[in-house]
Amino acid sequence: MKKGNGGAFLAGMLVGGAIGTIAGLLIAPRSGKETRRILKKSADALPELAEDLSTSVQLQADRLSESAMRNWNETLGRLKEAIAAGIEASQIEAQERQQPRQVTVDTNSSENHHL
């Protein structure tokens, strides 16, 4: 199981447990009165189950939100660095293009010595 899926797994367990309990009660060979009593207890437990599920989902959402924010901030930092490096490289290239090129004459060339 992935590290970040703990909340989803817990929520699935809680919902699955509730569904399994209800299905088991409806299928079980008990008297109607006893089954109604058990169903009432299960129904009374549903708000607590819903609260646990809600808390679990909220915790998972908070973790995902924090992780997304960290990733966004890291990506934004790298993007700013890349933009700054691009601007700097453009400025250096522009300066190099503006500098006059120096032409050098080779005085030791054989073409200059045919006297």
Side-chain angles (χ1 to χ4, degrees), residues 30-42:
R30 292 192 173 92
S31 68
K33 184 176 181 179
E34 188 177 346
T35 301
R36 284 190 297 276
R37 182 180 57 79
I38 292 171
L39 285 174
K40 182 176 178 349
K41 282 185 180 181
S42 295

Side-chain angles (χ1 to χ4, degrees), residues 3-115:
K3 182 180 177 183
N5 289 339
F9 177 75
L10 181 61
M13 262 184 46
L14 291 173
V15 170
I19 292 171
T21 300
I22 292 170
L25 289 172
L26 293 173
I27 295 172
R30 292 192 173 92
S31 68
K33 184 176 181 179
E34 188 177 346
T35 301
R36 284 190 297 276
R37 182 180 57 79
I38 292 171
L39 285 174
K40 182 176 178 349
K41 282 185 180 181
S42 295
D44 291 343
L46 283 178
E48 185 178 330
L49 177 65
E51 184 178 338
D52 290 346
L53 180 60
S54 173
T55 300
S56 175
V57 168
Q58 184 61 45
L59 289 172
Q60 187 68 12
D62 289 346
R63 283 190 210 118
L64 288 172
S65 176
E66 290 170 7
S67 175
M69 191 55 114
R70 272 194 311 274
N71 289 340
W72 171 252
N73 287 335
E74 290 171 6
T75 301
L76 189 58
R78 288 193 304 267
L79 181 60
K80 286 179 180 179
E81 290 173 7
I83 290 171
I87 290 171
E88 183 179 347
S90 296
Q91 290 172 343
I92 290 171
E93 185 176 331
Q95 288 173 353
E96 288 174 354
R97 287 183 181 184
Q98 290 176 354
Q99 292 176 352
R101 294 186 182 179
Q102 297 177 358
V103 178
T104 57
V105 176
D106 186 5
T107 57
N108 294 329
S109 170
S110 62
E111 296 173 1
N112 293 335
H113 295 298
H114 44 94
L115 289 173

